[in-house]
Amino acid sequence: MTTLFTTAEVRNAVELLASRSLIRLVTEIDDNGAIPPRRLAATLPDLASHELRRATETARTHGLVRAAPGTGLVLTDSGSELADLYDAAARWSRRHAYPPRVCEFSNRVRYVLDLLTPSLAAENADSLARLSAARLPSAEAEASLARPRTLLIEWLTGNPQATRLSEPEQAA
């Protein structure tokens, strides 16, 4: 896969995708199904109301969730693909004990996304090899990182809006 992005596009996308509240929302729906709107706070009690509101707005804006009549928030195809990326990243992180400290699912995902970031920018296309020599625990870890990287590239290619910085809405 040869699609590469600018450094700014990659930075924008990782900032969006590595949001703890977005990761929690997407994976909760992926793991347990639709969340009725009035049950969001009870379903995700570790998120403050402003975090939950922002995650929901972000997920809707980027086409990751939609409101299904009678059930609540459900993942779109794009949201399901993102959940697969999150699972692959966390699985890689656990399998390779990277980072070596114990951390929660969303931190594992963020760590892997941060690890992949330099290799996705066109001007840094060879950086995964440099990174692996310095930071990855083994050649096997580097080889298996290809799966999350491929999923990330495929997701970004199918969702180019995620690479553009969203401007906050101005009050009228």
Side-chain angles (χ1 to χ4, degrees), residues 41 44-56:
L44 300 165
D46 57 318
L47 297 179
S49 60
H50 72 278
E51 292 174 309
L52 195 52
R53 188 173 39 260
R54 172 170 257 162
T56 303

Side-chain angles (χ1 to χ4, degrees), residues 54 57-58 60-61 165-172:
R54 172 170 257 162
E57 289 171 4
T58 298
R60 285 181 186 200
T61 299
L165 186 59
S166 298
E167 294 296 325
E169 292 183 14
Q170 301 294 323

Side-chain angles (χ1 to χ4, degrees), residues 92 95-96 136-146:
W92 182 91
R95 181 180 308 123
H96 298 290
L136 293 178
S138 68
E140 191 268 331
E142 179 182 347
S144 65
L145 193 56

Side-chain angles (χ1 to χ4, degrees), residues 93-153:
S93 178
R94 280 190 305 272
R95 181 180 308 123
H96 298 290
Y98 207 65
R101 64 191 180 286
V102 175
C103 61
E104 68 176 25
F105 183 89
S106 59
N107 288 340
R108 289 183 185 280
V109 170
R110 177 172 199 102
Y111 191 85
V112 172
L113 291 175
D114 287 343
L115 187 64
L116 291 171
T117 296
S119 71
L120 298 179
E123 56 270 26
N124 299 324
D126 66 339
S127 64
L128 187 56
R130 286 193 311 264
L131 257 180
S132 64
R135 297 171 61 191
L136 293 178
S138 68
E140 191 268 331
E142 179 182 347
S144 65
L145 193 56
R147 172 87 174 126
R149 184 177 189 272
T150 298
L151 288 173
L152 179 55
I153 290 171

